[in-house]
Amino acid sequence: MRIYIANLGKYNEGELVGDWFTPPVDYDEMAERIGLNDRYEEYAIHDYELPFEIDEYPSIEEVNRLCSMVEDLPAAIQDELSDLLCF
């Protein structure tokens, strides 16, 4: 499971600043790696490799929580989770 998190302010200015992260994502590390600060405070998830769908603006805590729930499932269910979620 991985997510690509981008600095939204930089993105809106036409510059791609972001990185891939493996949950659980540490917010402070993420903020440092993508350049969040007083001027650039917002981020967006622009891509992901997850067995479930998310939008661009969930909190890092929510993504971490969902990924933790998936990791707690038996391996056989994890492998088929995408198909199961269709039902």
Side-chain angles (χ1 to χ4, degrees), residues 6 18-19 21 32 34 50 64 66 70 86:
D19 206 351
F21 295 87
E32 182 178 328
I34 68 169
L50 300 170
N64 286 342
L66 292 170
V70 169
C86 293

Side-chain angles (χ1 to χ4, degrees), residues 32-45:
E32 182 178 328
R33 283 174 50 187
I34 68 169
L36 297 184
N37 53 37
D38 291 339
R39 180 173 177 197
Y40 300 105
E41 298 175 342
E42 296 181 297
Y43 62 88
I45 297 174

Side-chain angles (χ1 to χ4, degrees), residues 40-54:
Y40 300 105
E41 298 175 342
E42 296 181 297
Y43 62 88
I45 297 174
H46 284 179
D47 200 2
Y48 57 88
E49 296 172 357
L50 300 170
F52 51 85
E53 304 244 346
I54 57 173

